[in-house]
Amino acid sequence: MLRKIRIALALLFWIGITLLFLDFTGTVHFWLGWMAKIQFLPAVMALNFIVVIFLVALTLIFGRVYCSVICPLGVMQDAVARLGRMGRRNKNKYGYSPALSLLRYGFLALLAVSVILGLGSLAALLAPYSTYGRIVSALVAPVYLWGNNLLAALAERMDSYAFYEREIWIVSLPVILTAAGAFALIAVLAWRNGRTWCNTVCPVGTLLGILSRYSLLAPVIDTSKCNGCGLCSRRCKGACIDSRNHAIDYSRCVACMDCIDTCHQGAISYTRRRTKTIPETPETSRRGFMALVGAMAGTAALRGEEKIVDGGLAVILDKKTPVRKTRVVPPGAVSLRHLASRCTACQLCVSACPNGVLRPSTDVMTFMQPESSYERGYCRPECTKCSEVCPAGAILKISREEKSSVQIGHAVWIRSNCVPLTDGVECGNCARHCPAGAIVMVPSDPSDETSVKIPVVNDERCIGCGACENLCPSRPFSAIYVEGHENHRVI
C-alpha cells in the first residue's frame, strides 16, 4: 500500500513538473508553479527557509522521500529502471554494493565550492532539478510543440481553433548536446543499476542522505522473520540492503518501499527504526560532516527557422545576434552577479517566456543561464512571466509597474546599418515602437530640415526592452541594438 501511494505521488509530481517546462499558455504555472519552488537546490538558492526547513524535516521524519517522490530526475530514473526490467525473466537484478563515499562527498564538496565562488554554471551541471529541466526543454519540448502544431493544422481543416500553432525553436547546439549527454548517461546508469546517479553523483541526494541516517521512520528488517533469501537486496535499486548482515544503509535508501512489497516473509516494515544502519568508518563520518558544513557555508554565502518574405516576393534574411560587450538579463535579475550566483540554469524561465526573448547562454562562465536576445521578439513591459516562475530567486518577482522603470540596458545606434542612410528612405520603426519614448527621429543633416531622419537615443529613458532591435528592418544586423548593464537601475 505504501509503495502504491509513493508511486501515485511521484507520478503526480513528475507529470506536473514536466508540464511546467512544456506549457506555453501559462495555465499550468498558475496551478502547479509551487512544484518548482519546493525543489531543494532552488529553494536553497532563493534562501526560501520555509521550504528548506520543510524538506529537512520531511527527511528527518520519513527519510529520502524527496528523492523518490518530489525530485523529477529521481522519478525519471525509476521509470527508466522499470523499463530496463520489463521483458526480463529475473526482474530482481540488483544487489548490495558498498557506498562510493569518496565520489559522493567529492561531488557535494564541488557543489558547495561552486556555490561559494559564484560558479553557477558548474553548480547547474550537478543540480538534479535543473538537469531534468534542461532535458525536457531541450529534447522534449520541440517534439511536444510539433505535436501541438500538427493538431492545430488538423483542427484548422475542420474550422476549429481549439489549438494554435507555436514556433518550434531549437536552442543552441551546446545546450542540446549537454542535455542529451546528461540524459544518456543518467538513463544508462538507471537502466543497468537503478539509482546509481542519485547515490553517487547527485549532491542533493548525498546531503539528504546525511540527514536520512537519523530519520525517525525507515524500512526495518525483522531478523526473527528474515530467512536470508536476499530477495530484498536484489530488488533494491539503491544497492543499500546488506541482506547477509540484515543491515540497511539509510544514507542511500530513497524509501521507495520496493523491498517491503518484495519480501514474502513480511520481514521488512516501514516503521520506527530499531536496527542499526551499516556502520560508518570514522573517515566516512568526518567526510560527511565536513561536506554538510561546506554545503551550509555555501548557503550562507549566497545572498527552428522559417523564412519570411516581403510581399510574397523577396526573402527577408534572418536576423543575426549582435556582439554585445555586456549581456542583457531580464528585469528582476538585479545584476549579472546576482543572476550568476543564484541561477541553477533549469531553463524554466526560457520555457515560460512568451515572447521568445530568453535563451540559454553559451558562454563558459554563465553556461545555460538565461540571457535576453531580440531576434525572435522583445521584452514587453506588461510581461513579468520569468519573474513569476523562477524558483531559485535568480529573477526576483516584480510588478508590471516596477518593470517599466527598470533599466536593464540601453540602445546603441549603428549608423552604417540604418535604412534611411543606406537606402535613402524614411523609416522610424524604432522610434514608433519604443514603449519608453526614448527614441526620437531627427534630420540626418542638422542644416537641412528636409534630409532623411535618423534615430537619436535618450539613454536616460531607455529601459533596454529590445523593441527597437527586434523591429528594425535592417538585415541581417539591426541598425540599433541593446547593450546590457552589469547592474540594473530604476529610472
Side-chain angles (χ1 to χ4, degrees):
M1 183 63 181
L2 288 176
R3 179 174 176 270
K4 292 180 180 178
I5 294 174
R6 193 269 304 172
I7 291 176
L9 291 175
L11 286 175
L12 176 65
F13 274 92
W14 189 30
I15 294 172
I17 293 173
T18 301
L19 289 176
L20 287 178
F21 288 94
L22 299 178
D23 176 46
F24 53 82
T25 65
T27 307
V28 176
H29 286 278
F30 178 79
W31 293 103
L32 302 179
W34 59 272
M35 288 187 174
K37 297 183 187 299
I38 66 169
Q39 299 300 314
F40 189 83
L41 190 58
V44 171
M45 303 293 273
L47 299 181
N48 192 337
F49 295 112
I50 294 177
V51 172
V52 173
I53 292 172
F54 165 74
L55 294 176
V56 168
L58 189 71
T59 305
L60 289 174
I61 296 173
F62 300 104
R64 284 176 58 184
V65 293
Y66 170 87
C67 299
S68 59
V69 175
I70 300 175
C71 177
L73 191 67
V75 181
M76 185 193 80
Q77 291 175 76
D78 285 349
V80 173
R82 186 178 181 85
L83 291 174
R85 294 197 304 269
M86 291 177 64
R88 293 172 177 256
R89 290 184 178 180
N90 181 16
K91 298 185 183 299
N92 304 312
K93 61 174 185 173
Y94 306 122
Y96 171 73
S97 61
L100 300 176
S101 299
L102 184 62
L103 283 176
R104 296 176 71 195
Y105 295 119
F107 281 117
L108 178 57
L110 182 62
L111 176 68
V113 170
S114 65
V115 169
I116 292 172
L117 298 180
L119 302 176
S121 57
L122 179 58
L125 292 174
L126 299 174
Y129 162 75
S130 301
T131 299
Y132 182 77
R134 291 191 294 271
I135 290 172
V136 175
S137 60
L139 305 180
V140 181
V143 179
Y144 178 81
L145 289 175
W146 178 84
N148 171 81
N149 292 348
L150 179 61
L151 289 175
L154 294 174
E156 186 177 358
R157 292 189 175 186
M158 296 183 288
D159 294 326
S160 172
Y161 295 93
F163 300 91
Y164 59 93
E165 288 192 9
R166 288 282 297 183
E167 180 185 359
I168 299 177
W169 175 51
I170 306 299
V171 297
S172 62
L173 182 60
V175 175
I176 292 177
L177 293 177
T178 301
F183 174 74
L185 176 60
I186 296 170
V188 168
L189 290 175
W191 185 280
R192 293 172 58 87
N193 300 305
R195 288 282 189 140
T196 302
W197 180 272
C198 280
N199 287 332
T200 304
V201 179
C202 179
V204 173
T206 300
L207 181 59
L208 294 179
I210 296 172
L211 299 175
S212 66
R213 293 183 189 276
Y214 313 102
S215 63
L216 180 64
L217 302 175
V220 174
I221 301 175
D222 185 345
T223 54
S224 65
K225 296 181 180 180
C226 180
N227 63 359
C229 68
L231 192 58
C232 57
S233 179
R234 296 196 301 274
R235 184 64 185 273
C236 178
K237 56 199 171 193
C240 64
I241 301 179
D242 184 356
S243 57
R244 291 185 178 181
N245 297 311
H246 302 98
I248 300 176
D249 183 354
Y250 292 114
S251 72
R252 291 185 289 157
C253 175
V254 295
C256 66
M257 313 300 175
D258 287 354
C259 57
I260 297 175
D261 276 19
T262 301
C263 183
H264 301 312
Q265 308 299 320
I268 305 179
S269 60
Y270 184 70
T271 184
R272 187 168 182 175
R273 195 182 311 173
R274 294 186 179 88
T275 58
K276 294 182 180 180
T277 63
I278 291 177
E280 293 182 274
T281 63
E283 181 184 1
T284 301
S285 181
R286 285 195 299 270
R287 192 182 296 121
F289 174 76
M290 292 305 295
L292 179 60
V293 170
M296 293 300 110
T299 302
L302 291 171
R303 283 295 239 200
E305 302 186 358
E306 184 178 342
K307 297 294 181 182
I308 303 174
V309 296
D310 181 11
L313 300 175
V315 175
I316 299 178
L317 295 174
D318 293 327
K319 282 208 172 193
K320 293 185 178 180
T321 305
V323 179
R324 309 181 203 272
K325 295 179 181 178
T326 305
R327 67 193 191 108
V328 185
V329 295
V334 182
S335 65
L336 299 184
R337 182 176 181 180
H338 177 272
L339 181 71
S341 64
R342 296 270 185 106
C343 180
T344 62
C346 70
Q347 311 294 302
L348 188 55
C349 58
V350 177
S351 300
C353 180
N355 304 308
V357 172
L358 295 182
R359 62 206 49 204
S361 170
T362 56
D363 184 77
V364 174
M365 298 304 295
T366 59
F367 189 51
M368 296 180 294
Q369 294 184 353
E371 62 183 18
S372 300
S373 199
Y374 305 112
E375 292 76 51
R376 300 171 67 235
Y378 66 94
C379 192
R380 298 178 183 272
E382 69 275 9
C383 176
T384 58
K385 182 60 70 176
C386 58
S387 75
E388 295 170 5
V389 303
C390 178
I395 305 175
L396 301 179
K397 190 171 183 178
I398 58 175
S399 65
R400 295 179 180 181
E401 293 77 17
E402 290 171 330
K403 180 181 178 180
S404 298
S405 61
V406 174
Q407 188 180 62
I408 62 175
H410 65 277
V412 177
W413 178 56
I414 307 297
R415 184 183 183 92
S416 58
N417 292 346
C418 197
V419 171
L421 297 179
T422 58
D423 296 356
V425 297
E426 295 289 342
C427 180
N429 243 23
C430 53
R432 188 161 48 251
H433 295 285
C434 177
I439 303 176
V440 294
M441 303 299 292
V442 300
S444 56
D445 184 354
S447 61
D448 183 6
E449 288 293 330
T450 62
S451 60
V452 293
K453 294 185 177 181
I454 57 174
V456 172
V457 180
N458 183 346
D459 290 347
E460 294 300 316
R461 296 190 64 176
C462 178
I463 59 175
C465 68
C468 54
E469 179 179 331
N470 174 249
L471 298 171
C472 177
S474 178
R475 295 294 192 279
F477 290 102
S478 294
I480 193 166
Y481 77 98
V482 176
E483 191 65 57
H485 289 174
E486 287 192 14
N487 298 291
H488 297 173
R489 69 185 184 94
V490 177
I491 57 175

